[in-house]
Amino acid sequence: MSRPAARQCGASRRTFLALAGAAVAAPLLPHDVFASVETGKPLHGLSAFGDLKYAAGFSHFDYASLDAPKGGTFNFQPGYWYYNQNVLTFNTLNAFVRTGDAPPRMEMCFASLMTRAYDEPDAIYGFLAESVTLSEDRNGFTFALRPEARFHDGSPITAEDVAFTYTLLKEKGHPQLLLPLAELTEARADGPHSVHLRFSGQQSRRNILTVATFPIFSKAFVEENGFDSSRIVPLLGSGPYRVGNFSAGRFVEYKRVEDYWARDLGPLKGFNHFDTVRIDFYRDRNAGFEAFKKGDVKWRQEFTSRIWATGYDFPAMREGRVLKTEIPGEKRGQLYGLVLNQRREQFRDVRVREAISLCFDFEWTNRNLFYDAYTRSHSFFERAPFMAEGAPSPEEEALLARFRGEAPEAAFGEAVMQPVSDGSGRDRNNLRRARQLLTEAGWTPRDGVLHNERGTRLTLEYLVRDEIFLRQDASFGENLRAIGIDASTRLVDASQYQSRQSAFDFDMISAAIGMDATPDEEGLEQLFHSRTAALEGSYNFAGITDPVVDELIEIAGKAENRDDLTVTLKVLDRVLRARRDWIPNWHLTNHRVAHWDMFGYSDNKPDYFFPAEALWWFDEEKAKAIGKA
């Protein structure tokens, strides 16, 4: 399964031994948001720690392809998605509410106040807004809107639309959208082209970097048509694409807006080259792969190692009409693993969670199912500078000391690593240790299955939505049953899976999360904070409610520089790994991409995001050469 890279880290160069008196005390200090950013002056961009790569009036981002031709169709299979989006089916075109299943890439249809630069870890630049001005207390943000900004029906985008949107999302938006707005106290239109967003002062210092990139809706359209998932009607958009042809659950097409009002703006120039971006929906991966082999789908990112190793042996591949390539991954944290739902009583004891992790034999799985393609994951920030390694540094120790007696003891030593097996698929030592942990947790065997003192069986149902996971589960499931856990796997359809995941109606699922390059407090809350444990639709799949985790997230949100943030997140990583809420599985360093040889792309790929549908283009000569023009 894949999950949204919904929010996109910089290395630590200087130390801060003063953490004992600085970051530890951070919640007690004044919240000096954007301390290095000038107030009372219109700014063309914002960065978490004040550094912007591009000056005011810049013509384009460095990774833009200014000479790329416009045209053609990009029929692809998305590798990430956001909000309520579903890659296997859809039954609504509102991708910004909790309920329903929306198609991926609906966000391409909407403009935002500001937009991210993919070659910087935390910078945003003006899109709808030509500038933003910070109030003296840095809790108010006034955006000057571009007068030329238009919705797709030609009506102007006004400050009233923007203010309405933020109020609407705070009340009815998907948890990814409403949570960052928790501390928004006012969204006010000051004339047709000036909008003011004011926060309580309790928001994280990087909150605005997320909030300013939210989609903007038409007030008139929403008031007339509603804002829910009950109808399959697209919201009036304002982005570089609009919804074209579609058939619910089968396909959706996004059509490029040829006379788009923002096409020559610096943050948009040199992107969005395809006339049509099309997504076809297949109920399982095999069907999707067969469609690619036939040429119905032209681009896919391969997530199945067996297919990558052996499946690309078909006529078009042998003829050179289909290409395989590995594209460098982003400098962002990545988490993929199994999640145990602690809303279920049997998984609340950390010893039970550790015992279950001992049953997963990565070495056997990697060799026998994945052709040794993967590297074992251990961290919640794999591949990022926030990953804890070895013993805590002096700076980490200073922060950890605050939580002595509250955080798990394992967090204070060497960073917790996932168990290594003998590769047999049934490592006796690991299973023996798992049985011992379960016995210590009060589970005893009865008729071949473990029971607690109340006579309740220890059950575990692994919920999946694709048959590929049934194969991966073989060794793991056998090991669970071998130590007395009544383990099973249930395959459900895509809509049921989405619904049960959103409502936390599962024992265990697998999930992939792409972290931001500079994680903000709200993004971390989505995954780990107590306040999202009961919020349906959040990504706190494990149901974590831990005051230590909560406080570390709040300290991270108030970090005044990247080095302080790095130390805090390394400590958070240590605590989460010691809690064993997830069983980290594996990761790749590159994107495995296969495509029909009819596209062009720049080798100057940005470091922090990879939206191929915006960066690549249709090459007519190549398409003619392979008979796909």
Side-chain angles (χ1 to χ4, degrees):
M1 166 189 167
S2 184
R3 262 291 159 228
R7 324 276 179 244
Q8 270 77 267
C9 288
S12 176
R13 290 186 294 275
R14 75 167 180 83
T15 61
F16 67 117
L17 283 169
L19 236 189
V24 168
L28 306 178
L29 295 175
H31 189 191
D32 194 7
V33 181
F34 290 103
S36 62
V37 178
E38 189 174 355
T39 62
K41 174 184 176 181
L43 305 169
H44 72 290
L46 291 173
S47 172
F49 303 114
D51 299 324
L52 289 172
K53 176 178 178 179
Y54 297 96
F58 69 96
S59 62
H60 61 274
F61 289 140
D62 289 348
Y63 54 92
S65 298
L66 303 182
D67 298 326
K70 304 293 186 185
T73 296
F74 191 60
N75 189 327
F76 79 124
Q77 294 175 344
Y80 63 88
W81 50 96
Y82 304 95
Y83 317 128
N84 68 349
Q85 296 170 4
N86 194 327
V87 76
L88 301 179
T89 188
F90 71 96
N91 50 36
T92 182
L93 293 176
N94 187 345
F96 309 104
V97 292
R98 188 187 68 78
T99 57
D101 303 273
R105 300 305 180 271
M106 191 59 66
E107 62 279 358
M108 298 192 308
C109 299
F110 298 89
S112 54
L113 290 173
M114 305 184 82
T115 189
R116 291 190 181 275
Y118 302 150
D119 57 348
E120 295 180 84
D122 53 38
I124 57 174
Y125 295 89
F127 182 177
L128 277 175
E130 57 188 1
S131 69
V132 57
T133 303
L134 278 65
S135 64
E136 188 174 350
D137 64 2
R138 295 180 169 85
N139 289 320
F141 302 85
T142 299
F143 295 89
L145 304 186
R146 301 181 193 273
E148 67 270 28
R150 293 289 185 273
F151 288 106
H152 291 155
D153 66 353
S155 60
I157 302 174
T158 68
E160 191 174 358
D161 292 308
V162 177
F164 170 81
T165 295
Y166 281 97
T167 302
L168 177 71
L169 290 176
K170 180 172 180 176
E171 179 185 353
K172 297 182 178 180
H174 186 276
Q176 283 187 24
L177 297 163
L178 64 84
L179 277 173
L181 297 174
E183 301 300 331
L184 178 71
T185 59
E186 184 181 25
R188 183 186 73 236
D190 294 334
H193 301 124
S194 177
V195 65
H196 184 76
L197 301 182
R198 181 145 194 92
F199 296 83
S200 68
Q202 298 304 307
Q203 76 280 3
S204 76
R205 74 182 310 274
R206 297 180 297 281
N207 171 268
I208 193 63
L209 301 179
T210 297
V211 166
T213 64
F214 285 177
I216 301 302
F217 309 125
S218 163
K219 178 182 178 181
F221 182 91
V222 172
E223 287 183 337
E224 181 177 347
N225 295 276
F227 186 73
D228 56 45
S229 61
S230 62
R231 293 185 302 159
I232 194 155
V233 176
L235 296 165
L236 178 60
S238 55
Y241 285 87
R242 57 161 52 99
V243 176
N245 296 325
F246 66 88
S247 177
R250 294 182 57 240
F251 77 90
V252 63
E253 291 183 345
Y254 300 104
K255 296 293 186 178
R256 185 169 60 85
V257 180
E258 291 190 20
D259 58 347
Y260 187 50
W261 65 270
R263 65 183 182 273
D264 293 324
L265 291 181
L268 275 78
K269 192 173 183 178
F271 305 112
N272 303 314
H273 310 294
F274 295 105
D275 281 347
T276 303
V277 174
R278 178 180 170 116
I279 301 171
D280 288 286
F281 292 79
Y282 301 94
R283 293 296 179 136
D284 62 65
R285 298 189 187 198
N286 287 335
F289 183 52
E290 290 302 317
F292 174 78
K293 288 163 63 175
K294 290 189 298 182
D296 294 339
V297 173
K298 304 300 193 303
W299 190 101
R300 64 184 264 123
Q301 188 169 345
E302 185 57 69
F303 295 100
T304 305
S305 292
R306 176 180 57 83
I307 293 179
W308 186 253
T310 66
Y312 287 85
D313 184 16
F314 49 92
M317 187 79 199
R318 292 192 291 270
E319 294 162 4
R321 294 189 294 149
V322 171
L323 305 176
K324 289 170 61 179
T325 186
E326 295 199 15
I327 296 173
E330 287 70 64
K331 297 177 180 179
R332 297 188 290 117
Q334 182 185 62
L335 171 61
Y336 173 71
L338 299 164
V339 196
L340 292 161
N341 184 1
Q342 292 164 48
R343 301 169 189 85
R344 306 283 205 253
E345 185 178 355
Q346 66 265 38
F347 306 124
R348 291 175 189 162
D349 193 312
V350 67
R351 293 169 295 189
V352 173
R353 301 197 295 271
E354 183 178 356
I356 292 170
S357 73
L358 285 160
C359 294
F360 176 67
D361 192 328
F362 168 76
E363 286 70 25
W364 182 90
T365 302
N366 196 35
R367 186 181 71 246
N368 289 277
L369 302 181
F370 300 148
Y371 298 83
D372 286 323
Y374 291 110
T375 300
R376 183 68 197 265
S377 296
H378 301 277
S379 170
F380 285 78
F381 301 98
E382 203 69 49
R383 303 193 312 182
F386 312 127
M387 180 174 66
E389 298 181 88
S393 67
E395 297 83 7
E396 293 170 61
E397 285 183 339
L399 182 53
L400 275 166
R402 175 172 184 165
F403 303 106
R404 180 72 70 178
E406 299 177 77
E409 190 59 32
F412 295 86
E414 296 277 330
V416 169
M417 305 290 283
Q418 294 302 302
V420 176
S421 78
D422 60 12
S424 66
R426 185 168 290 196
D427 187 300
R428 294 178 181 272
N429 291 330
N430 284 348
L431 297 184
R432 187 180 301 114
R433 173 60 180 157
R435 290 191 193 96
Q436 179 184 347
L437 286 166
L438 291 171
T439 298
E440 293 172 2
W443 296 92
T444 57
R446 186 187 309 169
D447 300 325
V449 178
L450 293 170
H451 293 70
N452 62 16
E453 60 183 8
R454 298 191 303 277
T456 304
R457 295 163 66 92
L458 180 50
T459 61
L460 189 159
E461 181 184 83
Y462 179 25
L463 188 70
V464 302
R465 64 175 179 179
D466 196 297
E467 290 185 359
I468 191 71
F469 295 104
L470 300 178
R471 183 168 175 264
Q472 294 177 10
D473 177 54
S475 171
F476 184 43
E478 289 174 6
N479 285 339
L480 290 169
R481 290 184 286 272
I483 64 171
I485 298 176
D486 184 5
S488 61
T489 302
R490 173 172 293 189
L491 175 65
V492 298
D493 66 46
S495 292
Q496 185 180 355
Y497 184 94
Q498 180 107 324
S499 176
R500 289 185 61 175
Q501 174 185 278
S502 295
F504 310 123
D505 183 17
F506 59 84
D507 291 346
M508 182 176 75
I509 59 171
S510 60
I513 304 292
M515 301 286 190
D516 268 355
T518 305
D520 60 22
E521 185 174 346
E522 288 75 20
L524 295 169
E525 283 181 359
Q526 278 275 348
L527 290 164
F528 310 125
H529 200 286
S530 298
R531 69 170 58 102
T532 60
L535 181 62
E536 291 191 5
S538 80
Y539 291 158
N540 190 346
F541 300 132
I544 300 171
T545 55
D546 185 331
V548 173
V549 172
D550 294 350
E551 189 163 349
L552 284 169
I553 290 173
E554 289 157 17
I555 292 172
K558 294 174 172 62
E560 294 295 332
N561 56 65
R562 196 173 297 281
D563 297 319
D564 290 4
L565 176 66
T566 298
V567 171
T568 305
L569 292 183
K570 284 185 175 183
V571 171
L572 176 62
D573 190 35
R574 291 181 184 278
V575 172
L576 291 169
R577 287 159 71 170
R579 286 180 46 86
R580 299 184 182 275
D581 301 299
W582 289 53
I583 304 171
N585 283 178
W586 54 77
H587 65 276
L588 285 170
T589 57
N590 297 322
H591 299 285
R592 296 182 300 204
V593 171
H595 63 91
W596 286 75
D597 189 16
M598 52 191 293
F599 303 115
Y601 62 94
S602 170
D603 291 330
N604 184 23
K605 172 189 167 293
D607 285 339
Y608 298 103
F609 198 37
F610 178 51
E613 64 277 10
L615 300 177
W616 289 35
W617 60 87
F618 176 73
D619 189 316
E620 188 172 5
E621 293 304 313
K622 286 184 177 181
K624 287 179 179 178
I626 64 169
K628 292 291 183 180

